[in-house]
Amino acid sequence: DGGITQSPKYLFRKEGQNVTLSCEQNLNHDAMYWYRQDPGQGLRLIYYSQIVNDFQKGDIAEGYSVSREKKESFPLTVTSAQKNPTAFYLCASSPDRHEQFFGPGTRLTVL
Amino acid sequence: GNSVTQMEGPVTLSEEAFLTINCTYTATGYPSLFWYVQYPGEGLQLLLKATKADDKGSNKGFEATYRKETTSFHLEKGSVQVSDSAVYFCALSEWTGGFKTIFGAGTRLFVKA
């Protein structure tokens, strides 16, 4: 089955730690995206990548980093510089301008 | 810049009631418009889309028409079910050196049996 997988589903981080969220897709999509969702709010774009080895900052990139070494993979690192990282993180991919396909999300909690 | 505004929730309806969730947008050019649905603890799923003016998107009894003259894309369903309880997001796609999607804040729908 084609789709997007995110792991882990739940992640707990101590203050000062970096953590990496995984996102993998087997849909052969060029574009991939990371969003942050806070309770009762919409999605905010963190980073996006239109092609392998290239990515751009979104609206709230500070404290986050990404890489795009393979078409299938777009991991997100939440660094210690991100002051309020507790949120629900969603990864998406897109074949074109028309729609995005979302993974199931990772819920990150800072202890 | 481009933006999407949708009605605040929560919206609470009884089963079989008529649903409307309003969505308006501001955009330069001719964006594609979307409705996504999110069930608790899950990612978003595309519900329907429209790619040009006067197009009507439809799926699972939901409909929305791309109205360029009023810059609107209101979501409607004639008879809601308890299983429709979810958060609904209106969105548009734009080109800014790459295609990005702008999402509205979401509208939570509760349907009572």
Side-chain angles (χ1 to χ4, degrees):
Chain A
D1 284 338
I4 300 179
T5 57
Q6 291 186 242
S7 61
K9 187 171 178 64
Y10 299 97
L11 185 58
F12 298 91
R13 189 195 93 170
K14 295 180 180 179
E15 288 198 23
Q17 281 184 336
N18 293 355
V19 290
T20 298
L21 283 59
S22 169
C23 177
E24 304 278 332
Q25 54 103 355
N26 61 4
L27 300 167
N28 200 34
H29 292 169
D30 284 317
M32 296 187 75
Y33 306 81
W34 273 106
Y35 296 93
R36 170 180 171 140
Q37 186 178 28
D38 293 284
Q41 297 188 29
L43 279 65
R44 292 185 289 170
L45 182 64
I46 305 173
Y47 269 97
Y48 63 106
S49 169
Q50 299 290 321
I51 198 168
V52 175
N53 293 323
D54 188 41
F55 49 83
Q56 289 79 40
K57 294 182 179 180
D59 302 318
I60 57 165
E62 185 175 352
Y64 300 96
S65 66
V66 294
S67 63
R68 186 84 187 279
E69 298 176 0
K70 298 187 302 182
K71 188 175 188 178
E72 301 81 13
S73 178
F74 192 41
L76 174 74
T77 297
V78 184
T79 75
S80 57
Q82 171 47 239
K83 298 306 179 189
N84 185 23
T86 294
F88 190 50
Y89 290 87
L90 287 163
C91 179
S93 69
S94 178
D96 55 33
R97 63 182 289 218
H98 291 305
E99 63 184 276
Q100 296 193 357
F101 294 77
F102 284 82
T106 293
R107 189 167 299 281
L108 173 63
T109 303
V110 173
L111 302 175
Chain B
N2 294 351
S3 65
V4 174
T5 303
Q6 57 184 108
M7 63 188 288
E8 289 190 22
V11 173
T12 303
L13 296 172
S14 297
E15 206 166 23
E16 299 184 2
F18 185 85
L19 168 71
T20 300
I21 300 178
N22 290 337
C23 172
T24 58
Y25 67 92
T26 58
T28 55
Y30 304 96
S32 293
L33 301 176
F34 309 87
W35 278 100
Y36 287 85
V37 59
Q38 184 179 32
Y39 298 100
E42 298 183 6
L44 278 67
Q45 304 171 26
L46 179 69
L47 181 59
L48 53 84
K49 67 183 180 185
T51 59
K52 61 183 187 295
D54 299 324
D55 269 2
K56 176 185 283 189
S58 62
N59 186 27
K60 300 180 182 179
F62 292 90
E63 293 183 341
T65 301
Y66 191 143
R67 301 286 188 200
K68 193 170 189 304
E69 64 276 13
T70 55
T71 62
S72 65
F73 193 55
H74 304 321
L75 182 68
E76 297 182 337
K77 187 176 185 182
S79 176
V80 294
Q81 306 300 312
V82 172
S83 57
D84 293 327
S85 298
V87 180
Y88 292 82
F89 292 91
C90 186
L92 64 81
S93 67
E94 64 174 3
W95 172 265
T96 53
F99 281 113
K100 294 195 301 182
T101 300
I102 306 297
F103 290 88
T107 302
R108 183 174 295 277
L109 171 66
F110 291 105
V111 180
K112 302 180 298 184

